Amino acid sequence: MMNKGPAKRHALTTRLWHWTNAAAFVVLFMSGLNISNAHRALYWGDYGYDMSEAWLIVTRFPAWMTIPQRYDLAEARDWHNLSAWIFALGLLVMWAMSLVNRHFARDIATSLNDWRPAAWRAAIKEHAQPGDHGDKSYNAVQKISYGLVLGIGLPLMIATGLAISPGFEVSAPWLVEGLGGRQSARSLHFLCAWGLAGFVAVHLVMVLWSGPLTQIGRMITGGRREGDANA
């Protein structure tokens, strides 16, 4: 029988999705800031025009944070729409492959024990120690956070983005209504974007804390699973 060799820590499809999604998210976020500058007030419901009725007035973002690096709503929307297709289709493929190769069942699916505070404290205590933790199985905090991002955050980002797209309400009014109205969808889209940005920031800090070269290398080559004698 042919020896298949040591199992990869990260499957090829996971790695391809990770880097493609990272690039798409950066473009989406920066072009989204440019779009936000066009109307900085956020509302709940179906309509919103008067800033006095807004629940939040967003700050105006400087040019260096936006794509393009000047105020240009039309070009920003072009960048945003192009990246949104890559973002959405990539997530669909990643979820399909995660079910096929059992990445979800093996690495992300949680047990009752993972939802206990004691498991969270143990995970945080372990990762508070400097060093490489990347060859170990996902702990409770990682499973829950990745599950929430992949299962709720990213799909909600796509759904709210579709709901606020011009003309989409005619094709799927049920989606807009289910999100509480077009302005509610816009507010949720904004909150999701910054929530995901916060997740990315924490993720980057943890990568730097546990050895950036090793962690990035694993996400390029695939690495090896915990307990593999060939690791």
Side-chain angles (χ1 to χ4, degrees):
M1 181 179 292
M2 183 180 296
N3 185 2
K4 294 182 179 180
K8 293 288 187 180
R9 177 76 171 101
H10 304 292
L12 177 60
T13 50
T14 302
R15 285 175 274 150
L16 290 173
W17 173 79
H18 177 275
W19 294 114
T20 302
N21 186 69
F25 180 76
V26 169
V27 176
L28 281 168
F29 190 76
M30 294 181 69
S31 59
L33 297 184
N34 202 322
I35 295 170
S36 173
N37 284 343
H39 187 66
R40 298 181 293 115
L42 295 174
Y43 313 88
W44 297 110
D46 291 306
Y47 306 101
Y49 304 102
D50 188 348
M51 284 195 174
S52 65
E53 299 177 357
W55 69 271
L56 178 67
I57 305 296
V58 182
T59 186
R60 183 174 295 281
F61 299 102
W64 64 266
M65 291 181 65
T66 69
I67 292 178
Q69 293 189 321
R70 63 185 186 282
Y71 177 67
D72 189 327
L73 182 58
E75 186 174 343
R77 280 178 170 169
D78 288 341
W79 279 104
H80 206 73
N81 291 334
L82 174 62
S83 299
W85 277 106
I86 298 172
F87 185 82
L89 293 176
L91 181 64
L92 178 62
V93 172
M94 191 281 301
W95 262 113
M97 293 307 300
S98 292
L99 295 176
V100 171
N101 63 26
R102 302 193 71 254
H103 171 55
F104 175 78
R106 182 182 58 244
D107 299 321
I108 300 176
T110 59
S111 64
L112 289 176
N113 184 63
D114 291 323
W115 292 90
R116 294 175 179 171
W120 305 343
R121 289 194 296 269
I124 294 171
K125 182 178 180 180
E126 178 186 10
H127 270 69
Q129 304 299 321
D132 181 15
H133 305 287
D135 61 345
K136 299 180 179 179
S137 300
Y138 290 162
N139 59 46
V141 173
Q142 287 175 310
K143 289 180 180 180
I144 293 171
S145 58
Y146 291 153
L148 290 175
V149 168
L150 294 171
I152 298 178
L154 299 184
L156 185 58
M157 193 76 191
I158 295 168
T160 54
L162 288 172
I164 62 178
S165 297
F168 186 81
E169 187 172 5
V170 177
S171 302
W174 54 268
L175 178 60
V176 180
E177 293 172 4
L179 292 169
R182 193 168 186 276
Q183 291 302 322
S184 293
R186 183 168 171 263
S187 292
L188 290 171
H189 195 69
F190 175 88
L191 293 173
C192 280
W194 282 98
L196 291 172
F199 171 82
V200 170
V202 173
H203 178 66
L204 291 176
V205 168
M206 297 307 297
V207 168
L208 294 173
W209 182 253
S210 59
L213 295 179
T214 302
Q215 297 291 356
I216 293 173
R218 282 196 184 97
M219 192 49 72
I220 294 174
T221 66
R224 296 292 180 265
R225 291 198 182 284
E226 182 180 23
D228 193 328
N230 296 305

